[in-house]
Each structure stands twice: as C-alpha cells, then as structure tokens.
Amino acid sequence: MKNLSPLAKLAVTLVFIITSVSFSKYDITGLIPLFLYPVILFQMTGLTFKKFFRATRFVMPLILLTGILNPFLDKTPFNVAGIFTIRAGIISLITLILKGFLCLSASYLFAETTNADEMCATLRRIHIPKTIVTVFLLTWRYIFVMKEEVSIMLDAYHLRAPEQKGIHYSVWGSFLGQLFLRSFDRADELYQAMILRGYNGNYFYACCRGKHSKMKSWAFFLILTTVILTFRFCNVTELIGNIFTFSAGGFLK
C-alpha cells in the first residue's frame, strides 16, 4: 500500500469510516462483511493485529465505556434470529464495539502506511487550511521529542533510585513540572532552529506527486469504494444466510 497515492488511501479510509458509523445501532449483521477490509489490508501491508491491539489498547476501553450503560438504559426486547430474546441495549453495545474496532483499524492502517509529510501534503491538496495542517504536523513531530525527554528523565530517575520500581507517587508532581519546563525549553530551541533555517510562518510540505502509481491508486479507490458501498446497501450476511437456508431446504426435500 505504500506505493499508492495518500489521497486515494485517505478517500477510501473516510468512505469506510463513514459507512461503518452509518449502520443502525442494532445492525450487527450488516457490519460483519466490513471486517474483510481490515483483514485483507493487514495481510497486504504485513502489519499484525497484535501490533494494532498494542497501539490501541488505551482507546478500545474508552469505546466500551461509552456504551457500557446501554444494556441498563435500553431494555427493549430484541429477538435474535427467532431463537431467543435479549435486551436491545446489549445489541447496541456490541454494535458500538464493532464500529469502534472498524474505525480504529482503518485509521491505524492509513497512519501506518502513510508518513506525516504525505498526510499533510494530502490534506493541503484537499484545501485544509495550512494553519491547521502545520499545527498537526508540528504536534505530530513534537510527540517524539517529548517522548525522548521522558526517556531521558526516566533514565536519570532510575540511576538515582536503582532499586525503585516505577516512579514513586511523592515525586509525580515534580516530575511533571520538570517535564513541562524541559519541554518548553526544547520547544523554544526547536523554534529558534526553524527561524535560522528560514521559517517564516509557512511550511513547505513534501510533495508526493510522481512517487505513486496513479493507475493502481485509482483501481484501489474504485474497487474498494464499490465493495464498501455494496456492503452498505446490500446485507450480504442475510443474503448468504438466505441462500444457505434455501439450499438446505431444497436438499431436505
């Protein structure tokens, strides 16, 4: 996927996310075919679900918390395949978790196969204001600077307290204060370095044109968009179930 145009990947990702959230809160069967998207793309990119779950381990619980009260608030009886009846709130909770997983996986795939410069160049091509794009890119890059500062402070702390596991709660305040001051100083140094290199408020984004196959990008966009929209307007799960039911009924006769 890295040789595809970032614009094509962004468009497909947005179509997939919008399609996923557009399903009814009780439509579990309609969401099931959409799982083909992350499964196939994970295989194409060589990424693993283990790495994905590790990267999103703090986000998935938040999705669960947003709908944890659904089973208690929505007590409407919901018949499942004519076999048993449960609360509709349980169905809506499961649907919310599935939607969250699908949206996170699509965003993760896009982020892992597109670097920050390509993302920003793509956002500018669709006329996102340059101020927003510049803030996004500088914030994205500064995350790694702050991560480096935290690593340095942790090493210094453990050298002074080699037998201490983790950071003692009594120094949490001073640790965060020092992190803020060091980050502020580092940010000022970075800004001065940018000024010396000619920064005047405009950021010249890396242009991605010419590096990607237009034919493959168009094919990627058209094929996946068609498949995703087909899954949205045609309940493939119910269709397959009806075919098997009809076939089984004919065989029994």
Side-chain angles (χ1 to χ4, degrees), residues 54-145:
R54 187 185 299 118
T56 60
R57 64 184 181 276
F58 298 116
V59 182
M60 290 300 294
L62 296 178
I63 297 174
L64 177 61
L65 288 175
T66 58
I68 196 67
L69 295 178
N70 285 14
F72 305 99
L73 299 177
D74 189 355
K75 300 179 181 180
T76 306
F78 190 92
N79 187 270
V80 180
I83 302 175
F84 57 92
T85 301
I86 60 175
R87 290 184 177 182
I90 298 176
I91 300 297
S92 63
L93 174 60
I94 296 173
T95 304
L96 179 64
I97 295 173
L98 295 180
K99 288 181 179 180
F101 174 84
L102 291 171
C103 294
L104 279 177
S105 61
S107 302
Y108 173 80
L109 286 165
F110 175 70
E112 285 293 317
T113 57
T114 312
N115 62 46
D117 285 324
E118 289 179 331
M119 288 185 194
C120 292
T122 302
L123 292 175
R124 286 298 295 140
R125 287 178 64 185
I126 59 176
H127 303 292
I128 299 298
K130 65 179 181 180
T131 303
I132 296 177
V133 178
T134 300
V135 170
F136 165 77
L137 181 59
L138 295 181
T139 302
W140 175 267
R141 289 185 170 180
Y142 192 71
I143 288 174
F144 301 98
V145 176

Side-chain angles (χ1 to χ4, degrees), residues 157-173:
Y157 179 83
H158 290 308
L159 287 173
R160 289 171 174 80
E163 298 181 358
Q164 181 78 43
K165 291 185 178 180
I167 301 176
H168 197 269
Y169 69 89
S170 61
V171 298
W172 285 359

Side-chain angles (χ1 to χ4, degrees), residues 26-67:
Y26 302 125
D27 194 358
I28 295 179
T29 58
L31 288 170
I32 292 176
L34 292 179
F35 279 86
L36 288 174
Y37 178 87
V39 170
I40 293 176
L41 291 191
F42 269 106
Q43 295 297 321
M44 289 176 57
T45 58
L47 299 172
T48 62
F49 280 100
K50 182 179 180 180
K51 186 178 179 181
F52 163 69
F53 284 117
R54 187 185 299 118
T56 60
R57 64 184 181 276
F58 298 116
V59 182
M60 290 300 294
L62 296 178
I63 297 174
L64 177 61
L65 288 175
T66 58

Side-chain angles (χ1 to χ4, degrees), residues 11-23 103 228 232:
V12 172
T13 301
L14 291 177
V15 169
F16 181 81
I17 291 175
I18 294 172
T19 301
S20 299
V21 300
S22 67
F23 280 90
C103 294
I228 292 170
R232 176 62 186 91

